[in-house]
C-alpha cells in the first residue's frame, strides 16, 4: 500500500531547530537536578533520541510502553502501561517525553501512575500538542509544536503501526476523520 503525503506539517529543519531550543531550556531548568528522562513508547522514540542529545546535563534514560485500546485514528479512553520502568525514580526529577498530547488521557494516567513512585518532581515534554482535542486539562511543561486537529504520522508517530520512520511529520488523509 502506498500513500502520498502532502507537504510536511513540520519539516526536518523546523524540528531540529525547535528540539535544540527545548534542549537548552531543559538544560537550564535541570542543572543541579537528578534527571530521569522517561520516554513513552513507541511514538516518542524518534523525538526522544534527538531531545536527549540536545540536553547537556547528566541524565538517565528509561522507557515505558503504553497502549490505548481502540483503533486507528481515535483514542478509545482506556490507557494501559504494558512495560515497567527499570530505573528507580523515587526522589528523582522525572521528565516524561511524549510524542503527542491529544485528549490528555495518557499524560494524566502516567502522571498519576508514576506519581505513586514518589519522584521529587515530574514534568511533561511533548513534541506535539492538539489543544482543540483536549478533554482533560493537563499541564504541559515543554511543548514542541501546537498542531491543528489533523491526524499526523511520521517522526515516530504511526497509523496502524506504519509510517513511524517517515523523517518528517505529515498529515495522513484517511477517510475516518476525527470528530
Ligand atoms: P491522548 O489522547 O492524549 O491520550 O493521546 C493518546 C495517543 O494517541 C498519543 O500518545 C499518540 O500515540 C496517539 N495519537 C494521538 N493523535 C495522534 C496523531 O495525530 N497521530 C498519531 N498518533 C496520535
Ligand atoms: Mg503515544
Amino acid at each position: 500500500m502506498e500513500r502520498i503525503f502532502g507537504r510536511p506539517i513540520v519539516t526536518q529543519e523546523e524540528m531540529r531547530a525547535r528540539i535544540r531550543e527545548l534542549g537548552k531550556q531543559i538544560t537550564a531548568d535541570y542543572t543541579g537536578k537528578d534527571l530521569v528522562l522517561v520516554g513513552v513508547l513507541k511514538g516518542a522514540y524518534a523525538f526522544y533520541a534527538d531531545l536527549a542529545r540536545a540536553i547537556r546535563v547528566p541524565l538517565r534514560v528509561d522507557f515505558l510502553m503504553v497502549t490505548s485500546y481502540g483503533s486507528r485514528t481515535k483514542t478509545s479512553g482506556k490507557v494501559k502501561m504494558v512495560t515497567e520502568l527499570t530505573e528507580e525514580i523515587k526522589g528523582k526529577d522525572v521528565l516524561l517525553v511524549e510524542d503527542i498530547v491529544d485528549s490528555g488521557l495518557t499524560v494524566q494516567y502516567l502522571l498519576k501512575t508514576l506519581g505513586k513512585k514518589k519522584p521529587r518532581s515530574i514534568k511533561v515534554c511533548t513534541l506535539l500538542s492538539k489543544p482543540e482535542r483536549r478533554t482533560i486539562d493537563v499541564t504541559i511543561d515543554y511543548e514542541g509544536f501546537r498542531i491543528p486537529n489533523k491526524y499526523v504520522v511520521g517522526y515516530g508517530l504511526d497509523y496502524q503501526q506504519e509510517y513511524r520512520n517517515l523523517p518528517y511529520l505529515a498529515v495522513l488523509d484517511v477517510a475516518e476523520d476525527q470528530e
Side-chain angles (χ1 to χ4, degrees):
M1 177 182 55
E2 196 177 329
R3 281 173 195 272
I4 311 294
F5 298 104
R7 277 196 309 146
I9 191 166
V10 180
T11 65
Q12 288 176 270
E13 289 69 31
E14 287 168 331
M15 198 94 78
R16 254 196 293 276
R18 186 72 187 111
I19 291 171
R20 211 174 301 133
E21 287 174 1
L22 288 172
K24 277 193 188 142
Q25 214 182 327
I26 292 167
T27 299
D29 294 350
Y30 284 86
T31 298
K33 302 244 169 92
D34 207 345
L35 177 58
V36 183
L37 207 56
V38 174
V40 184
L41 297 174
K42 300 177 189 171
Y45 83 91
F47 175 48
Y48 186 102
D50 288 341
L51 181 70
R53 287 175 291 179
I55 299 173
R56 301 275 189 256
V57 291
L59 58 81
R60 292 179 184 213
V61 304
D62 208 347
F63 302 92
L64 50 81
M65 191 180 286
V66 296
T67 54
S68 43
Y69 295 110
S71 63
R72 319 224 258 196
T73 57
K74 287 188 188 134
T75 310
S76 63
K78 282 195 196 103
V79 186
K80 197 178 147 208
M81 217 160 108
V82 293
T83 63
E84 281 290 333
L85 295 178
T86 59
E87 294 297 316
E88 172 75 71
I89 61 165
K90 189 175 177 188
K92 303 274 167 71
D93 299 294
V94 170
L95 183 58
L96 267 177
V97 180
E98 261 282 22
D99 52 354
I100 185 164
V101 180
D102 190 33
S103 66
L105 206 83
T106 307
V107 164
Q108 184 201 42
Y109 169 82
L110 289 175
L111 288 175
K112 190 172 138 225
T113 307
L114 299 184
K116 289 180 187 152
K117 296 177 188 275
K118 303 268 181 268
R120 178 163 55 200
S121 68
I122 180 160
K123 287 189 178 183
V124 177
C125 176
T126 186
L127 176 65
L128 305 167
S129 172
K130 287 185 199 168
E132 286 169 54
R133 295 259 305 161
R134 206 78 85 247
T135 57
I136 294 162
D137 185 25
V138 288
T139 302
I140 299 174
D141 303 281
Y142 306 95
E143 183 183 86
F145 299 92
R146 288 192 176 178
I147 61 166
N149 185 11
K150 297 263 189 320
Y151 198 85
V152 293
V153 294
Y155 199 69
L157 288 92
D158 75 307
Y159 172 68
Q160 297 184 341
Q161 299 304 326
E162 289 184 17
Y163 313 111
R164 293 193 195 274
N165 62 328
L166 198 68
Y168 55 87
L169 268 177
V171 172
L172 182 69
D173 60 0
V174 280
E176 186 193 61
D177 249 3
Q178 295 189 346
E179 285 96 58

